[in-house]
């Protein structure tokens, strides 16, 4: 029985296999329609979500399984004071697999000790978001034909942006990756990623405040939202929220085959005029997330594919 709390809980070989299964699901969806018949996925979302929760639920339904859960902690017994540990123990009695999102860093990890069913971290505070990374990797693979030999620009809230932390962890394991970290100083990548992952693996990187300066060098541009809910002080959020707004004119110096990504939701960091640019891939990312979550559910439930 396996949990996926951190993207590094999966080896690169396993990630490659998940990418292959997801591509096979895209090609041959009918093969998978009954793979999880009679199985139940519980989605426990103690924090808001649109894509992650609904894509998990759609993924399980497309595998022929069923879904239970809650989308708001206030509609669960957590509002009565039940601990996360007890909630997980209880849900483990009903479900075969659990996807859980929680505002506290480490909550899904702690929960994983309390149940006999696989737990998937669907986002824990400002820490990690491994299944978004699976969606990101499939997008990069399908757009670029590879996940190595790339210069990856990450822009916006690199401090609280959990999708960025997981993506850097995953991409650091591939050959010839370079990172361009674009953020205001206050939202810079934390040391537990910069020092312990990028520097430790001797991966070349630069830090800059300027998206314009970085634009011409990068193969992937990963935009992020300033994570309002993680700020202690509203004035800081207001000062930083408009740090980067990607508009068509800023793309003039970009590569013709740039891949523009964003985990979504966007607030205003990508102008909607960019949506018609063929390099905009953020809605493809959404769909890819469903296929990768299907592949992950199959793997963790040990279903033969
Ligand atoms: C992200 C998240 O929840 O971390 N959203 C998502 O799952 N696609 C990004 C964000 O909320 O900014």
């Amino acid at each position: 029985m396996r949990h996926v709390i951190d993207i590094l809980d999966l080896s690169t070989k396993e990630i490659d296999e998940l990418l292959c299964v997801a591509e096979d699901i895209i090609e041959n969806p009918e093969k998978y329609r009954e793979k999880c018949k009679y199985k139940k996925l519980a989605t426990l979302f103690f924090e808001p979500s649109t894509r992650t929760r609904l894509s998990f639920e759609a993924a399980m339904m497309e595998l022929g399984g069923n879904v239970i859960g809650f989308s708001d902690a206030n509609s669960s017994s957590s509002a009565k004071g039940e601990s996360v540990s007890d909630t997980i123990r209880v849900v483990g009695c009903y479900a075969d697999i659990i996807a859980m999102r929680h505002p506290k860093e480490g909550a899904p990890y702690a929960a994983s000790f309390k149940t006999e069913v696989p737990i998937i971290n669907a986002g824990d505070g400002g820490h990690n978001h491994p299944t978004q990374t699976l969606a990101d990797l499939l997008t990069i693979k399908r757009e670029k034909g590879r996940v190595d030999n790339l210069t990856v620009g990450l822009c916006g809230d690199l401090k609280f942006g959990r999708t960025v932390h997981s993506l850097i962890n995953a991409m650091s394991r591939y050959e010839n990756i370079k990172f361009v970290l674009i953020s205001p100083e206050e939202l810079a990548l934390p040391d537990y990623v910069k020092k312990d992952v990028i520097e430790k693996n001797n991966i070349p990187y630069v830090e800059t405040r300027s998206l314009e300066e970085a634009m011409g060098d990068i193969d992937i541009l990963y935009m992020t939202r300033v994570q309002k809910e993680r700020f202690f002080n509203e004035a800081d959020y207001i000062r930083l929220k408009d740090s980067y707004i990607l508009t068509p004119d800023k793309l003039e110096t970009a590569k013709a085959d740039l891949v523009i990504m964003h985990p979504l939701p966007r607030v205003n960091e990508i102008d909607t005029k960019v949506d018609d640019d063929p390099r905009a891939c953020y809605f493809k990312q959404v769909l890819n997330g469903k296929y990768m979550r299907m592949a992950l559910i199959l793997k963790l439930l040990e279903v033969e594919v």
Side-chain angles (χ1 to χ4, degrees), residues 26 81 105 110-111 136 287:
I26 295 170
E105 290 79 5
D136 300 341
L287 191 55

Side-chain angles (χ1 to χ4, degrees), residues 38-50:
Y38 307 124
K39 298 281 186 196
K40 276 172 275 158
L41 163 78
T43 51
L44 309 187
F45 278 64
F46 295 87
E47 217 188 37
S49 169
T50 300

Side-chain angles (χ1 to χ4, degrees), residues 10-297:
L10 297 164
S11 66
T12 42
K13 184 168 170 275
E14 287 177 313
I15 289 181
D16 290 347
E17 284 162 8
L18 291 174
L19 292 168
C20 285
V21 172
E23 292 195 299
D24 192 50
I25 294 171
I26 295 170
E27 298 299 317
N28 306 294
E30 67 292 341
K31 241 171 80 181
Y32 293 87
R33 280 203 185 119
E34 302 217 320
K35 289 277 184 199
C36 288
K37 210 172 168 187
Y38 307 124
K39 298 281 186 196
K40 276 172 275 158
L41 163 78
T43 51
L44 309 187
F45 278 64
F46 295 87
E47 217 188 37
S49 169
T50 300
R51 273 148 295 271
T52 306
R53 185 174 62 84
L54 296 182
S55 69
F56 262 115
E57 297 187 355
M60 191 51 154
M61 288 173 184
E62 287 190 27
L63 293 168
N66 294 303
V67 178
I68 57 175
F70 54 82
S71 56
D72 175 4
N74 287 323
S75 70
S76 77
S77 283
S78 130
K80 299 180 186 169
E82 185 170 60
S83 67
V84 172
S85 296
D86 281 0
T87 303
I88 289 292
R89 257 183 103 155
V90 167
V91 175
C93 299
Y94 306 138
D96 301 288
I97 184 165
I98 298 173
M100 170 187 172
R101 169 173 286 190
H102 200 280
K104 281 214 175 86
E105 290 79 5
Y109 177 65
S112 69
F113 292 94
K114 298 289 171 191
T115 176
E116 301 295 309
V117 306
I119 299 250
I120 304 171
N121 178 5
D124 63 324
H127 191 213
N128 279 327
H129 194 347
T131 62
Q132 180 63 45
T133 297
L134 295 177
D136 300 341
L137 292 174
L138 181 61
T139 306
I140 294 170
K141 173 144 189 251
R142 287 177 75 75
E143 298 305 314
K144 288 295 206 190
R146 62 182 193 277
V147 287
D148 51 14
N149 292 295
L150 292 165
T151 299
V152 184
L154 300 136
C155 177
D157 187 347
L158 310 188
K159 180 179 180 186
F160 297 118
R162 56 192 174 195
T163 62
V164 167
H165 306 158
S166 292
L167 184 60
I168 289 176
N169 265 288
M171 296 212 73
S172 293
R173 298 194 293 188
Y174 294 102
E175 290 295 309
N176 197 20
I177 295 294
K178 296 189 190 90
F179 292 115
V180 183
L181 307 175
I182 309 152
S183 77
E185 216 170 292
E186 295 97 318
L187 298 179
L189 194 67
D191 278 351
Y192 76 86
V193 187
K194 193 167 78 181
K195 292 207 168 19
D196 300 352
V197 182
I198 300 183
E199 291 180 8
K200 205 166 152 196
N201 289 296
N202 296 315
I203 296 166
Y205 74 97
V206 290
E207 286 186 290
T208 173
R209 276 193 79 108
S210 167
L211 176 58
E212 286 82 345
E213 268 173 33
M215 192 61 92
D217 298 326
I218 56 184
D219 302 306
I220 308 284
L221 173 59
Y222 196 94
M223 295 296 293
T224 60
R225 168 180 76 90
V226 176
Q227 306 279 297
K228 181 179 184 193
E229 64 276 36
R230 315 258 179 252
F231 278 75
F232 295 114
N233 165 343
E234 205 189 342
D236 286 344
Y237 170 70
I238 291 170
R239 187 165 48 80
L240 292 164
K241 72 182 173 59
D242 297 328
S243 297
Y244 301 98
I245 299 175
L246 183 65
T247 47
D249 57 301
K250 292 199 182 122
L251 286 164
E252 270 165 25
T253 57
K255 292 187 180 175
D257 60 351
L258 175 73
V259 174
I260 306 168
M261 298 174 66
H262 190 309
L264 304 180
R266 78 174 140 190
V267 181
N268 63 349
E269 53 289 336
I270 302 182
D271 190 313
T272 51
K273 290 193 199 82
V274 175
D275 297 359
D276 297 328
D277 190 305
R279 294 168 291 188
C281 293
Y282 26 94
F283 289 105
K284 291 186 192 167
Q285 245 172 301
V286 174
L287 191 55
N288 289 333
K290 182 185 71 178
Y291 296 124
M292 282 307 266
R293 290 181 176 107
M294 288 172 81
L296 183 63
I297 290 169

